[in-house]
Amino acid sequence: MLRIAKRLGRQAPLAVPPARPVIGVPEEYAAVRTTVQERIDQFGANWSALTGTVWTARAADAADAVPAFARRICAERGIDRVTRWDHPDLAALPLDAALAADGVAVVPWRGDGAADAPASGAGADSAWSRRSPLLRAAERSRLGIVWADYAIANTGTLVLLARGGHGRSVSLLPDTLFAVIRADRLVTRMGEAFEAIRADHPEAASLPSSINLITGPSRSADIENDLTIGIHGPGKVYALILES
C-alpha cells in the first residue's frame, strides 16, 4: 500500500476516505437535454463509427420497412435461418411471412421454450441433442432480430432486457444482429436508461433476468492484444430506428 501511495504522490496511505463533493452524475452533465432528432443523429453517428449499419423509417411504415430490411440483410449475407424475439410489436408485422417467401426459416424465441423450427444437427446420443430444442434451433440461426427496450445515443448502445420471449440468446448466438428501435425509446446517456428501467420495474420480482448492453459488433482483444470481431457475439450489426 505504501508503494501504491507513493506512486500516487502521497507520503503514506490515506487514513480517511477522500472527500466526494459530487456523488452521481455531475449537474452540468445531467442537465444536458437533447431533442429526439439529436438523439437519432447521435446514435446513428456512434453506431456507424463502430462499423454498424443504421437506417431510419417512419413508425407508420414499420409493416413494410422491417420485413424489407430483414430480407435485405438475409439476401446480402446469404442467411437462410433467423431467430427473433417473441415481441408483440415484431409478431404484429408480416415479418415471418416475408422471410418465408424468400425461403428463410424463422425461429421465434418463445417464452414457453417450445421450438417452431426443427433443431437438427447433433446426433441423438450427444450432450447437445439433450439441450432445449429452442436453444438448438436458435443456435443454427445466422440472424437475430430484436426489438430494443432502449437505446443510448451518446454511446451507440442497445439496451435489451432478457425475459420470457425476449431471450438473450437471440442477440448473442447468431453472427448477425438486426435491432428495431423506436425513436421515443432513445435516451441521451446510460443513466437515463437505468432510471427508466427502475421506473418500469419498481418491484424486484419484475426485473429482467439480465440487462444486455450492446455497443456495436462483438470485439475481443484479450489474447495478445489481437482485435477479433464476432467472437463473443454478432460480428455484423444493423439498427432500424422508427421515427414517429
Side-chain angles (χ1 to χ4, degrees), residues 14-180:
L14 296 177
V16 296
R20 295 182 62 188
V22 177
I23 297 178
V25 181
E27 290 184 8
E28 63 273 16
Y29 188 47
V32 173
R33 295 291 181 267
T34 56
T35 65
V36 172
Q37 189 58 54
E38 287 173 335
R39 291 193 290 275
I40 291 172
D41 293 342
Q42 189 175 34
F43 179 90
N46 288 323
W47 186 259
S48 299
L50 295 162
T51 70
T53 299
V54 62
W55 301 298
T56 59
R58 295 193 315 147
D61 298 329
D64 295 324
V66 175
F69 283 119
R71 294 176 66 190
R72 175 175 170 178
I73 295 168
C74 290
E76 290 179 354
R77 298 185 58 78
I79 293 171
D80 62 4
R81 177 176 289 206
V82 167
T83 183
R84 66 163 175 82
W85 271 7
D86 194 12
H87 190 286
D89 290 327
L90 280 178
L93 303 175
L95 175 61
D96 295 4
L99 291 172
D102 290 344
V104 178
V106 179
V107 180
W109 186 272
R110 291 175 47 177
D112 59 9
D116 293 336
S120 59
D125 59 346
S126 68
W128 185 247
S129 69
R130 294 190 290 274
R131 298 291 295 276
S132 157
L134 177 58
L135 183 60
R136 288 187 283 129
E139 187 269 344
R140 296 187 174 280
S141 300
R142 291 194 49 223
L143 173 64
I145 303 176
V146 299
W147 190 283
D149 294 277
Y150 305 96
I152 304 168
N154 69 357
T155 56
T157 300
L158 303 175
V159 182
L160 307 181
L161 309 186
R163 62 203 184 278
H166 306 175
R168 58 184 176 270
S169 294
V170 174
S171 63
L172 294 175
L173 291 179
D175 57 49
T176 307
L177 176 65
F178 176 34
V180 183

